[in-house]
Amino acid sequence: MSLPWPERAASFDARHYLLRASFKDDDLDAAGYPLSIPAVRDLERIEFHPKVTFLVGENGSGKSTIVEALAVLMGLNAEGGTQNFAFSTRASHSSLATVLRPVRGARQPRNRFFLRAESYFNLATTIEHLDREPGGPKVIDSYGGTSLHEQSHGESFMALMEHRFGANGLYILDEPEAALSPQRQLAMLVRMHDLIAENCQFIIATHSPILMAYPEAWIYELSADGIARVALRDTDHYRVTLDILRDPEARLARLLGD
């Protein structure tokens, strides 16, 4: 897939904030969660691209567990937000972060944010609660000034990327496409590209072949066989999507037995 990237963002100088993560010991129960997930159990060490790294796989393959652990390792709230958010709707995150050792780059990111599609509503609610307290600037001003609850899910997520995400940032995203139409996913890629040109690094768990198409990105596929780096066209997501779009009537006739 070829996208018309802006000429002004043609050169890159992305800072490498998170180089890799690896197991520091074997204290976790090998038979219990999260090591019961094959890809997590296979995760002796994972390297990150200085621009974009994708984790992909079936539901339950462990990609959200891994990005959540990475976010916690980098000092972020397990349910999303910046390092300044401490809300907890339900303490359901795994213990994986306790046995992973991050290897950071020489520079610290100026901005950090963890987006979880499933708890974004709770993040928006927390911002409203904070802004009801007297004194100080409004938190929502950093997100475009309009309540995230008063926008569609997709609009509020794009407001986050446009207004809250800034230069020199580390951004960890869990299934951001859940909020976005295909056209908005393309808009997200353009915004990502601009931010990468401003020294940002992204680590993203996704099901979207559109997002995975970002140039030069590393893609890790998680499966029952473990975790491995793959090319876009070798992912199940790409093959299944391409198969149905080539001839949807015939493919669905086979699938549905008609």
mmCIF file of all heavy atoms in Angstrom, residues 34-78:
data_model
loop_
_atom_site.group_PDB
_atom_site.id
_atom_site.type_symbol
_atom_site.label_atom_id
_atom_site.label_comp_id
_atom_site.label_asym_id
_atom_site.label_seq_id
_atom_site.Cartn_x
_atom_site.Cartn_y
_atom_site.Cartn_z
ATOM 1 N N PRO A 34 -0.217 -14.070 33.211
ATOM 2 C CA PRO A 34 -0.349 -14.047 31.758
ATOM 3 C C PRO A 34 0.540 -15.049 31.009
ATOM 4 O O PRO A 34 0.497 -15.101 29.787
ATOM 5 C CB PRO A 34 0.077 -12.620 31.419
ATOM 6 C CG PRO A 34 1.150 -12.325 32.416
ATOM 7 C CD PRO A 34 0.708 -13.000 33.689
ATOM 8 N N LEU A 35 1.372 -15.840 31.729
ATOM 9 C CA LEU A 35 2.259 -16.759 31.014
ATOM 10 C C LEU A 35 1.519 -17.939 30.410
ATOM 11 O O LEU A 35 2.098 -18.716 29.662
ATOM 12 C CB LEU A 35 3.360 -17.258 31.952
ATOM 13 C CG LEU A 35 4.388 -16.210 32.400
ATOM 14 C CD1 LEU A 35 5.535 -16.871 33.136
ATOM 15 C CD2 LEU A 35 4.928 -15.422 31.204
ATOM 16 N N SER A 36 0.237 -18.057 30.708
ATOM 17 C CA SER A 36 -0.571 -19.070 30.044
ATOM 18 C C SER A 36 -0.828 -18.710 28.577
ATOM 19 O O SER A 36 -1.249 -19.552 27.787
ATOM 20 C CB SER A 36 -1.907 -19.240 30.778
ATOM 21 O OG SER A 36 -2.590 -17.995 30.865
ATOM 22 N N ILE A 37 -0.567 -17.458 28.207
ATOM 23 C CA ILE A 37 -0.702 -17.012 26.815
ATOM 24 C C ILE A 37 0.600 -17.346 26.084
ATOM 25 O O ILE A 37 1.671 -16.888 26.487
ATOM 26 C CB ILE A 37 -0.959 -15.495 26.746
ATOM 27 C CG1 ILE A 37 -2.216 -15.124 27.533
ATOM 28 C CG2 ILE A 37 -1.073 -15.027 25.302
ATOM 29 C CD1 ILE A 37 -2.429 -13.626 27.679
ATOM 30 N N PRO A 38 0.560 -18.155 25.023
ATOM 31 C CA PRO A 38 1.796 -18.593 24.366
ATOM 32 C C PRO A 38 2.732 -17.474 23.950
ATOM 33 O O PRO A 38 3.952 -17.561 24.149
ATOM 34 C CB PRO A 38 1.278 -19.379 23.148
ATOM 35 C CG PRO A 38 -0.059 -19.881 23.573
ATOM 36 C CD PRO A 38 -0.633 -18.794 24.436
ATOM 37 N N ALA A 39 2.200 -16.400 23.373
ATOM 38 C CA ALA A 39 3.063 -15.314 22.901
ATOM 39 C C ALA A 39 3.740 -14.594 24.056
ATOM 40 O O ALA A 39 4.886 -14.155 23.928
ATOM 41 C CB ALA A 39 2.254 -14.330 22.063
ATOM 42 N N VAL A 40 3.054 -14.463 25.175
ATOM 43 C CA VAL A 40 3.660 -13.832 26.345
ATOM 44 C C VAL A 40 4.743 -14.737 26.933
ATOM 45 O O VAL A 40 5.832 -14.287 27.310
ATOM 46 C CB VAL A 40 2.589 -13.494 27.404
ATOM 47 C CG1 VAL A 40 3.230 -12.926 28.665
ATOM 48 C CG2 VAL A 40 1.573 -12.506 26.835
ATOM 49 N N ARG A 41 4.461 -16.030 26.984
ATOM 50 C CA ARG A 41 5.441 -16.998 27.491
ATOM 51 C C ARG A 41 6.691 -17.012 26.616
ATOM 52 O O ARG A 41 7.799 -17.246 27.097
ATOM 53 C CB ARG A 41 4.804 -18.388 27.536
ATOM 54 C CG ARG A 41 5.650 -19.436 28.232
ATOM 55 C CD ARG A 41 4.852 -20.708 28.509
ATOM 56 N NE ARG A 41 4.288 -21.288 27.304
ATOM 57 C CZ ARG A 41 2.973 -21.368 27.044
ATOM 58 N NH1 ARG A 41 2.094 -20.888 27.914
ATOM 59 N NH2 ARG A 41 2.538 -21.920 25.938
ATOM 60 N N ASP A 42 6.519 -16.731 25.321
ATOM 61 C CA ASP A 42 7.623 -16.746 24.361
ATOM 62 C C ASP A 42 8.395 -15.432 24.345
ATOM 63 O O ASP A 42 9.402 -15.305 23.658
ATOM 64 C CB ASP A 42 7.048 -17.032 22.959
ATOM 65 C CG ASP A 42 8.113 -17.357 21.935
ATOM 66 O OD1 ASP A 42 9.021 -18.146 22.254
ATOM 67 O OD2 ASP A 42 8.039 -16.823 20.816
ATOM 68 N N LEU A 43 7.949 -14.465 25.129
ATOM 69 C CA LEU A 43 8.491 -13.112 25.058
ATOM 70 C C LEU A 43 9.750 -12.984 25.902
ATOM 71 O O LEU A 43 9.747 -12.384 26.974
ATOM 72 C CB LEU A 43 7.439 -12.101 25.523
ATOM 73 C CG LEU A 43 7.796 -10.619 25.381
ATOM 74 C CD1 LEU A 43 7.867 -10.222 23.913
ATOM 75 C CD2 LEU A 43 6.754 -9.773 26.098
ATOM 76 N N GLU A 44 10.845 -13.560 25.446
ATOM 77 C CA GLU A 44 12.101 -13.394 26.165
ATOM 78 C C GLU A 44 12.634 -11.982 25.990
ATOM 79 O O GLU A 44 13.220 -11.404 26.909
ATOM 80 C CB GLU A 44 13.131 -14.407 25.668
ATOM 81 C CG GLU A 44 12.762 -15.852 25.960
ATOM 82 C CD GLU A 44 13.810 -16.816 25.447
ATOM 83 O OE1 GLU A 44 14.848 -16.344 24.925
ATOM 84 O OE2 GLU A 44 13.591 -18.033 25.572
ATOM 85 N N ARG A 45 12.399 -11.414 24.813
ATOM 86 C CA ARG A 45 12.941 -10.086 24.499
ATOM 87 C C ARG A 45 12.199 -9.551 23.287
ATOM 88 O O ARG A 45 11.918 -10.294 22.348
ATOM 89 C CB ARG A 45 14.437 -10.204 24.208
ATOM 90 C CG ARG A 45 15.132 -8.956 23.692
ATOM 91 C CD ARG A 45 16.565 -9.330 23.355
ATOM 92 N NE ARG A 45 17.271 -8.257 22.684
ATOM 93 C CZ ARG A 45 18.386 -7.702 23.135
ATOM 94 N NH1 ARG A 45 18.910 -8.129 24.276
ATOM 95 N NH2 ARG A 45 18.990 -6.746 22.466
ATOM 96 N N ILE A 46 11.854 -8.275 23.310
ATOM 97 C CA ILE A 46 11.200 -7.657 22.166
ATOM 98 C C ILE A 46 11.865 -6.307 21.891
ATOM 99 O O ILE A 46 12.074 -5.504 22.800
ATOM 100 C CB ILE A 46 9.685 -7.497 22.406
ATOM 101 C CG1 ILE A 46 9.000 -6.883 21.166
ATOM 102 C CG2 ILE A 46 9.374 -6.684 23.646
ATOM 103 C CD1 ILE A 46 7.488 -6.911 21.229
ATOM 104 N N GLU A 47 12.249 -6.113 20.641
ATOM 105 C CA GLU A 47 12.890 -4.861 20.206
ATOM 106 C C GLU A 47 11.835 -3.949 19.590
ATOM 107 O O GLU A 47 10.890 -4.424 18.948
ATOM 108 C CB GLU A 47 13.963 -5.163 19.153
ATOM 109 C CG GLU A 47 15.022 -6.159 19.590
ATOM 110 C CD GLU A 47 16.154 -5.509 20.345
ATOM 111 O OE1 GLU A 47 16.232 -4.261 20.346
ATOM 112 O OE2 GLU A 47 16.957 -6.253 20.944
ATOM 113 N N PHE A 48 12.027 -2.647 19.753
ATOM 114 C CA PHE A 48 11.069 -1.687 19.229
ATOM 115 C C PHE A 48 11.708 -0.792 18.173
ATOM 116 O O PHE A 48 12.854 -0.359 18.320
ATOM 117 C CB PHE A 48 10.497 -0.828 20.362
ATOM 118 C CG PHE A 48 9.810 -1.637 21.412
ATOM 119 C CD1 PHE A 48 10.403 -1.834 22.649
ATOM 120 C CD2 PHE A 48 8.591 -2.242 21.159
ATOM 121 C CE1 PHE A 48 9.786 -2.602 23.622
ATOM 122 C CE2 PHE A 48 7.967 -3.023 22.114
ATOM 123 C CZ PHE A 48 8.567 -3.206 23.343
ATOM 124 N N HIS A 49 10.937 -0.560 17.114
ATOM 125 C CA HIS A 49 11.385 0.350 16.061
ATOM 126 C C HIS A 49 11.368 1.775 16.601
ATOM 127 O O HIS A 49 10.499 2.134 17.393
ATOM 128 C CB HIS A 49 10.451 0.221 14.850
ATOM 129 C CG HIS A 49 10.990 0.855 13.612
ATOM 130 N ND1 HIS A 49 10.940 2.217 13.390
ATOM 131 C CD2 HIS A 49 11.592 0.321 12.514
ATOM 132 C CE1 HIS A 49 11.480 2.488 12.213
ATOM 133 N NE2 HIS A 49 11.895 1.358 11.667
ATOM 134 N N PRO A 50 12.312 2.615 16.191
ATOM 135 C CA PRO A 50 12.320 3.998 16.693
ATOM 136 C C PRO A 50 11.124 4.819 16.249
ATOM 137 O O PRO A 50 10.836 5.859 16.854
ATOM 138 C CB PRO A 50 13.615 4.577 16.135
ATOM 139 C CG PRO A 50 13.993 3.688 14.997
ATOM 140 C CD PRO A 50 13.484 2.335 15.353
ATOM 141 N N LYS A 51 10.407 4.336 15.216
ATOM 142 C CA LYS A 51 9.230 5.081 14.761
ATOM 143 C C LYS A 51 7.944 4.384 15.179
ATOM 144 O O LYS A 51 7.203 4.885 16.020
ATOM 145 C CB LYS A 51 9.278 5.239 13.235
ATOM 146 C CG LYS A 51 10.520 5.948 12.730
ATOM 147 C CD LYS A 51 10.596 5.874 11.213
ATOM 148 C CE LYS A 51 11.938 6.393 10.711
ATOM 149 N NZ LYS A 51 12.069 6.217 9.245
ATOM 150 N N VAL A 52 7.666 3.205 14.601
ATOM 151 C CA VAL A 52 6.391 2.533 14.866
ATOM 152 C C VAL A 52 6.614 1.021 14.999
ATOM 153 O O VAL A 52 7.263 0.406 14.151
ATOM 154 C CB VAL A 52 5.370 2.781 13.731
ATOM 155 C CG1 VAL A 52 4.021 2.152 14.095
ATOM 156 C CG2 VAL A 52 5.191 4.263 13.456
ATOM 157 N N THR A 53 6.045 0.457 16.051
ATOM 158 C CA THR A 53 6.017 -0.994 16.240
ATOM 159 C C THR A 53 4.570 -1.415 16.431
ATOM 160 O O THR A 53 3.859 -0.821 17.253
ATOM 161 C CB THR A 53 6.838 -1.411 17.466
ATOM 162 O OG1 THR A 53 8.186 -0.961 17.309
ATOM 163 C CG2 THR A 53 6.818 -2.925 17.641
ATOM 164 N N PHE A 54 4.136 -2.427 15.679
ATOM 165 C CA PHE A 54 2.776 -2.952 15.809
ATOM 166 C C PHE A 54 2.815 -4.335 16.443
ATOM 167 O O PHE A 54 3.696 -5.150 16.134
ATOM 168 C CB PHE A 54 2.094 -3.065 14.448
ATOM 169 C CG PHE A 54 1.768 -1.748 13.804
ATOM 170 C CD1 PHE A 54 2.458 -1.324 12.670
ATOM 171 C CD2 PHE A 54 0.767 -0.934 14.319
ATOM 172 C CE1 PHE A 54 2.160 -0.109 12.070
ATOM 173 C CE2 PHE A 54 0.465 0.284 13.726
ATOM 174 C CZ PHE A 54 1.161 0.698 12.596
ATOM 175 N N LEU A 55 1.844 -4.598 17.311
ATOM 176 C CA LEU A 55 1.589 -5.946 17.814
ATOM 177 C C LEU A 55 0.225 -6.367 17.300
ATOM 178 O O LEU A 55 -0.766 -5.651 17.503
ATOM 179 C CB LEU A 55 1.604 -5.983 19.343
ATOM 180 C CG LEU A 55 2.978 -6.052 20.015
ATOM 181 C CD1 LEU A 55 3.695 -4.721 19.913
ATOM 182 C CD2 LEU A 55 2.835 -6.448 21.477
ATOM 183 N N VAL A 56 0.175 -7.501 16.604
ATOM 184 C CA VAL A 56 -1.071 -7.953 15.997
ATOM 185 C C VAL A 56 -1.310 -9.405 16.364
ATOM 186 O O VAL A 56 -0.396 -10.126 16.755
ATOM 187 C CB VAL A 56 -1.033 -7.782 14.459
ATOM 188 C CG1 VAL A 56 -0.632 -6.359 14.077
ATOM 189 C CG2 VAL A 56 -0.088 -8.781 13.802
ATOM 190 N N GLY A 57 -2.550 -9.830 16.233
ATOM 191 C CA GLY A 57 -2.890 -11.211 16.537
ATOM 192 C C GLY A 57 -4.367 -11.344 16.836
ATOM 193 O O GLY A 57 -5.096 -10.355 16.937
ATOM 194 N N GLU A 58 -4.812 -12.585 16.991
ATOM 195 C CA GLU A 58 -6.209 -12.857 17.289
ATOM 196 C C GLU A 58 -6.589 -12.318 18.661
ATOM 197 O O GLU A 58 -5.733 -12.017 19.491
ATOM 198 C CB GLU A 58 -6.474 -14.366 17.247
ATOM 199 C CG GLU A 58 -6.839 -14.894 15.870
ATOM 200 C CD GLU A 58 -8.112 -14.276 15.325
ATOM 201 O OE1 GLU A 58 -9.052 -14.017 16.106
ATOM 202 O OE2 GLU A 58 -8.153 -14.018 14.117
ATOM 203 N N ASN A 59 -7.897 -12.208 18.902
ATOM 204 C CA ASN A 59 -8.372 -11.864 20.234
ATOM 205 C C ASN A 59 -7.842 -12.887 21.238
ATOM 206 O O ASN A 59 -7.900 -14.089 20.997
ATOM 207 C CB ASN A 59 -9.904 -11.863 20.278
ATOM 208 C CG ASN A 59 -10.503 -10.824 19.351
ATOM 209 O OD1 ASN A 59 -9.935 -9.755 19.162
ATOM 210 N ND2 ASN A 59 -11.650 -11.125 18.776
ATOM 211 N N GLY A 60 -7.324 -12.377 22.341
ATOM 212 C CA GLY A 60 -6.783 -13.269 23.358
ATOM 213 C C GLY A 60 -5.353 -13.701 23.120
ATOM 214 O O GLY A 60 -4.826 -14.522 23.880
ATOM 215 N N SER A 61 -4.702 -13.149 22.097
ATOM 216 C CA SER A 61 -3.338 -13.567 21.774
ATOM 217 C C SER A 61 -2.292 -12.915 22.679
ATOM 218 O O SER A 61 -1.132 -13.337 22.686
ATOM 219 C CB SER A 61 -3.011 -13.256 20.305
ATOM 220 O OG SER A 61 -3.070 -11.855 20.065
ATOM 221 N N GLY A 62 -2.666 -11.880 23.430
ATOM 222 C CA GLY A 62 -1.739 -11.278 24.382
ATOM 223 C C GLY A 62 -1.232 -9.896 24.022
ATOM 224 O O GLY A 62 -0.476 -9.300 24.785
ATOM 225 N N LYS A 63 -1.646 -9.348 22.890
ATOM 226 C CA LYS A 63 -1.100 -8.055 22.471
ATOM 227 C C LYS A 63 -1.484 -6.927 23.431
ATOM 228 O O LYS A 63 -0.653 -6.075 23.769
ATOM 229 C CB LYS A 63 -1.511 -7.718 21.040
ATOM 230 C CG LYS A 63 -2.995 -7.680 20.784
ATOM 231 C CD LYS A 63 -3.293 -7.556 19.296
ATOM 232 C CE LYS A 63 -4.792 -7.467 19.045
ATOM 233 N NZ LYS A 63 -5.515 -8.673 19.568
ATOM 234 N N SER A 64 -2.737 -6.914 23.895
ATOM 235 C CA SER A 64 -3.148 -5.883 24.848
ATOM 236 C C SER A 64 -2.444 -6.058 26.186
ATOM 237 O O SER A 64 -2.092 -5.076 26.849
ATOM 238 C CB SER A 64 -4.668 -5.910 25.054
ATOM 239 O OG SER A 64 -5.342 -5.521 23.866
ATOM 240 N N THR A 65 -2.213 -7.307 26.586
ATOM 241 C CA THR A 65 -1.484 -7.577 27.831
ATOM 242 C C THR A 65 -0.077 -7.005 27.763
ATOM 243 O O THR A 65 0.419 -6.404 28.725
ATOM 244 C CB THR A 65 -1.424 -9.091 28.088
ATOM 245 O OG1 THR A 65 -2.755 -9.603 28.201
ATOM 246 C CG2 THR A 65 -0.649 -9.409 29.355
ATOM 247 N N ILE A 66 0.571 -7.148 26.606
ATOM 248 C CA ILE A 66 1.939 -6.671 26.450
ATOM 249 C C ILE A 66 1.987 -5.146 26.413
ATOM 250 O O ILE A 66 2.818 -4.524 27.102
ATOM 251 C CB ILE A 66 2.588 -7.279 25.196
ATOM 252 C CG1 ILE A 66 2.797 -8.787 25.398
ATOM 253 C CG2 ILE A 66 3.919 -6.598 24.890
ATOM 254 C CD1 ILE A 66 3.284 -9.515 24.161
ATOM 255 N N VAL A 67 1.121 -4.509 25.629
ATOM 256 C CA VAL A 67 1.187 -3.038 25.565
ATOM 257 C C VAL A 67 0.802 -2.414 26.908
ATOM 258 O O VAL A 67 1.345 -1.376 27.302
ATOM 259 C CB VAL A 67 0.335 -2.447 24.416
ATOM 260 C CG1 VAL A 67 0.877 -2.878 23.063
ATOM 261 C CG2 VAL A 67 -1.132 -2.774 24.554
ATOM 262 N N GLU A 68 -0.126 -3.043 27.625
ATOM 263 C CA GLU A 68 -0.479 -2.557 28.960
ATOM 264 C C GLU A 68 0.746 -2.612 29.882
ATOM 265 O O GLU A 68 1.041 -1.656 30.618
ATOM 266 C CB GLU A 68 -1.598 -3.407 29.530
ATOM 267 C CG GLU A 68 -1.947 -3.113 30.979
ATOM 268 C CD GLU A 68 -2.830 -4.201 31.557
ATOM 269 O OE1 GLU A 68 -2.276 -5.224 32.036
ATOM 270 O OE2 GLU A 68 -4.064 -4.032 31.521
ATOM 271 N N ALA A 69 1.470 -3.736 29.852
ATOM 272 C CA ALA A 69 2.669 -3.871 30.681
ATOM 273 C C ALA A 69 3.718 -2.836 30.303
ATOM 274 O O ALA A 69 4.381 -2.253 31.175
ATOM 275 C CB ALA A 69 3.241 -5.286 30.544
ATOM 276 N N LEU A 70 3.877 -2.575 29.007
ATOM 277 C CA LEU A 70 4.841 -1.564 28.564
ATOM 278 C C LEU A 70 4.447 -0.183 29.072
ATOM 279 O O LEU A 70 5.302 0.609 29.497
ATOM 280 C CB LEU A 70 4.932 -1.555 27.038
ATOM 281 C CG LEU A 70 5.503 -2.819 26.388
ATOM 282 C CD1 LEU A 70 5.387 -2.732 24.873
ATOM 283 C CD2 LEU A 70 6.957 -3.037 26.808
ATOM 284 N N ALA A 71 3.161 0.123 29.025
ATOM 285 C CA ALA A 71 2.689 1.413 29.517
ATOM 286 C C ALA A 71 2.994 1.567 31.004
ATOM 287 O O ALA A 71 3.486 2.616 31.447
ATOM 288 C CB ALA A 71 1.190 1.560 29.257
ATOM 289 N N VAL A 72 2.721 0.529 31.786
ATOM 290 C CA VAL A 72 3.001 0.579 33.224
ATOM 291 C C VAL A 72 4.496 0.733 33.475
ATOM 292 O O VAL A 72 4.927 1.497 34.347
ATOM 293 C CB VAL A 72 2.439 -0.675 33.915
ATOM 294 C CG1 VAL A 72 2.883 -0.736 35.380
ATOM 295 C CG2 VAL A 72 0.912 -0.696 33.823
ATOM 296 N N LEU A 73 5.315 0.012 32.696
ATOM 297 C CA LEU A 73 6.770 0.141 32.830
ATOM 298 C C LEU A 73 7.237 1.574 32.612
ATOM 299 O O LEU A 73 8.203 2.029 33.228
ATOM 300 C CB LEU A 73 7.471 -0.772 31.815
ATOM 301 C CG LEU A 73 7.578 -2.257 32.127
ATOM 302 C CD1 LEU A 73 8.205 -2.988 30.965
ATOM 303 C CD2 LEU A 73 8.387 -2.482 33.405
ATOM 304 N N MET A 74 6.546 2.296 31.732
ATOM 305 C CA MET A 74 6.931 3.673 31.413
ATOM 306 C C MET A 74 6.223 4.687 32.301
ATOM 307 O O MET A 74 6.212 5.881 32.008
ATOM 308 C CB MET A 74 6.658 3.958 29.935
ATOM 309 C CG MET A 74 7.434 3.072 28.973
ATOM 310 S SD MET A 74 9.238 3.109 29.252
ATOM 311 C CE MET A 74 9.637 4.780 28.684
ATOM 312 N N GLY A 75 5.635 4.208 33.392
ATOM 313 C CA GLY A 75 5.059 5.110 34.379
ATOM 314 C C GLY A 75 3.664 5.599 34.082
ATOM 315 O O GLY A 75 3.208 6.580 34.688
ATOM 316 N N LEU A 76 2.957 4.926 33.177
ATOM 317 C CA LEU A 76 1.618 5.356 32.779
ATOM 318 C C LEU A 76 0.539 4.547 33.496
ATOM 319 O O LEU A 76 0.772 3.411 33.923
ATOM 320 C CB LEU A 76 1.462 5.225 31.263
ATOM 321 C CG LEU A 76 2.425 6.108 30.449
ATOM 322 C CD1 LEU A 76 2.395 5.721 28.981
ATOM 323 C CD2 LEU A 76 2.094 7.582 30.623
ATOM 324 N N ASN A 77 -0.641 5.141 33.597
ATOM 325 C CA ASN A 77 -1.770 4.487 34.239
ATOM 326 C C ASN A 77 -2.228 3.287 33.409
ATOM 327 O O ASN A 77 -2.356 3.383 32.185
ATOM 328 C CB ASN A 77 -2.916 5.493 34.387
ATOM 329 C CG ASN A 77 -4.111 4.920 35.112
ATOM 330 O OD1 ASN A 77 -3.963 4.069 35.984
ATOM 331 N ND2 ASN A 77 -5.292 5.363 34.758
ATOM 332 N N ALA A 78 -2.498 2.163 34.062
ATOM 333 C CA ALA A 78 -2.870 0.937 33.347
ATOM 334 C C ALA A 78 -4.175 1.077 32.578
ATOM 335 O O ALA A 78 -4.418 0.345 31.621
ATOM 336 C CB ALA A 78 -2.976 -0.232 34.325
#
